[in-house]
Amino acid sequence: MRDELQELVDEVSRVLGAPATLEDAGFTLLAFCAHDDSGADPMDAVRTRSILTRGSTSETRRWFEDFGIASATRPMRTPADPAAGVLTRLVLPVRHEDRTRGYLWLLDDGRIDPDDHADPALRRALDLAADAGRTLAGRPADDLGQVLADALAGRPAARAQAALRLGGRLPGDGAQVLVALCPADGSPAPGRPLPAAGAVATVVEDGIAVLVPLPSPADLRPAGALAAASLAALPAGSTAGVSSARRGTGDLPGQWGEARAAARVAAAVDRFFPVARWGELGGWRAATALPGPDPVLAPLLADPMLATTAETFLDCAGSAARTAAALHVHRQTLYYRLGRIAALTGLDLADGDARLLLHTGLRAARLSGEPRFHRP
């Protein structure tokens, strides 16, 4: 396949009369070709680094992606940056099935008009770019979705090997998060375009897992943008969860658990809907680890009004004044309800352990989809 891609790049270079470079969507160099009719092929720092290191830095990726190349469907031109030693480029998106698979870059010195649809050379190059897209879509080495599935749910040996492969695809310092997409209708569609460069998606059980590279562990914007764009294409009521950020891929199963748990909270709690981040869940994180509410809460959960009163009281840190105001009831009504809660559960609401059991149990009930329990 590498020979096939090299022949394709050679032909693009010949047709357009310019040095050509083929990179995948993660900016990994796949093939390149010089075009040296005059003995003075143009070179710049970006092309040199790509050829020497078989890839680009995260800063280079961001610089080009800021021009919209990841979502481009037609040829476009990126500008030169003389101060940085960057030449202008013609970019041919390499796409297949509505997904960007890579890029063909040509250092043409600005000669070719990307909007000249009548140019036979450009039309031939676009046909070759389409061929490259089909090739990249079908290559086993490019099936990173299966690699991600192995890293999350494969056998231990397969997980470790898959994690290493994915780690080698991360740019810069290797920062990344996992995003869990949970379609409301329970029927994930993994072939949707991903609005984050370098993202890898796969179906795991009834959700979609997406590995999203980050500029840094503190910059979760790519994950947020991907989650928002993905949810817009999924059925109403779908949710997303974002794991904590890590450097490297050493704990992808742990991150997947965080992302899935966050998506469950997003589906159950209005203030987190539709996208919840693991790092912002607070006490809900403990509740996600429980299989369900303690059996002692069963009588309370049968009464939605009292269950809501108990949760509001605990959310208000046991303040009767704040609880009564939040529920819009008289304080004496609240005291009556609290007495009923204590009688039904046998729990002393003045005891810290009892409050902890009650609070986590009520939250676990929400996460388990207790049908008679009102949403907050």
Side-chain angles (χ1 to χ4, degrees):
M1 185 171 294
R2 186 170 295 278
D3 290 342
E4 180 180 352
L5 293 173
Q6 184 61 58
E7 291 175 3
L8 187 147
V9 172
D10 290 344
E11 180 65 7
V12 171
S13 180
R14 185 193 67 79
V15 168
L16 294 180
T21 303
L22 173 63
E23 295 179 331
D24 66 13
F27 281 54
T28 298
L29 180 68
L30 302 176
F32 69 95
C33 177
H35 184 81
D36 196 2
D37 286 344
S38 64
D41 264 335
M43 288 285 285
D44 65 2
V46 172
R47 177 173 165 86
T48 300
R49 185 183 301 112
S50 177
I51 292 173
L52 291 178
T53 66
R54 311 297 295 181
S56 298
T57 66
S58 58
E59 291 78 11
T60 299
R61 286 184 56 176
R62 286 198 298 273
W63 193 81
F64 283 107
E65 287 167 354
D66 282 345
F67 297 112
I69 64 170
S71 59
T73 59
R74 300 170 62 180
M76 62 179 296
R77 180 166 297 286
T78 58
D81 184 353
V86 178
L87 300 175
T88 182
R89 281 165 166 73
L90 177 69
V91 186
L92 306 183
V94 174
R95 296 175 60 83
H96 183 66
E97 294 181 342
D98 295 326
R99 178 177 168 187
T100 297
R101 309 286 176 165
Y103 309 98
L104 274 164
W105 307 91
L106 292 112
L107 288 173
D108 66 333
D109 199 27
R111 293 183 295 102
I112 302 168
D113 181 358
D115 297 319
D116 186 357
H117 306 300
D119 183 347
L122 183 58
R123 290 165 59 185
R124 171 58 179 157
L126 290 174
D127 289 340
L128 291 167
D131 290 343
R134 286 187 287 270
T135 300
L136 292 180
R139 63 178 180 145
D142 196 50
D143 189 9
L144 293 178
Q146 183 57 53
V147 177
L148 179 58
D150 290 342
L152 298 179
R155 293 173 301 192
R159 289 185 185 184
Q161 184 62 32
L164 286 174
R165 285 190 61 187
L166 291 168
R169 305 275 302 193
L170 295 174
D173 62 3
Q176 50 78 20
V177 292
L178 273 174
V179 174
L181 301 171
C182 295
D185 61 2
S187 55
R192 301 180 185 279
L194 299 175
V200 179
T202 191
V203 174
V204 181
E205 298 174 347
D206 59 346
I208 304 171
V210 190
L211 180 67
V212 183
L214 301 176
S216 72
D219 188 352
L220 296 179
R221 288 176 298 175
L226 181 139
S230 299
L231 290 176
L234 291 173
S238 299
T239 60
V242 181
S243 76
S244 58
R246 303 274 209 285
R247 282 192 171 94
T249 54
D251 188 26
L252 289 178
Q255 285 182 280
W256 177 234
E258 293 175 356
R260 288 276 291 171
R264 287 174 58 209
V265 174
V269 185
D270 284 346
R271 66 188 175 93
F272 290 111
F273 181 84
V275 181
R277 296 178 177 180
W278 176 256
E280 299 174 353
L281 295 185
W284 283 96
R285 289 158 70 167
T288 63
L290 299 175
D294 191 281
V296 75
L297 302 188
L300 175 62
L301 293 173
D303 188 324
M305 180 188 68
L306 290 181
T308 300
T309 298
E311 185 183 49
T312 305
F313 176 70
L314 294 167
D315 285 344
C316 292
S319 167
R322 289 170 54 198
T323 305
L327 294 173
H328 304 290
V329 298
H330 192 276
R331 196 175 301 190
Q332 288 303 121
T333 300
L334 173 63
Y335 289 142
Y336 169 77
R337 291 185 186 178
L338 293 177
R340 291 284 300 136
I341 293 167
L344 284 173
T345 62
L347 298 174
D348 179 2
L349 298 187
D351 180 76
D353 282 342
R355 285 192 181 188
L356 179 61
L357 174 63
L358 181 58
H359 208 177
T360 55
L362 289 170
R363 290 185 169 185
R366 288 197 184 279
L367 297 179
S368 64
E370 175 63 41
R372 293 178 58 82
F373 198 40
H374 292 173
R375 290 173 61 90

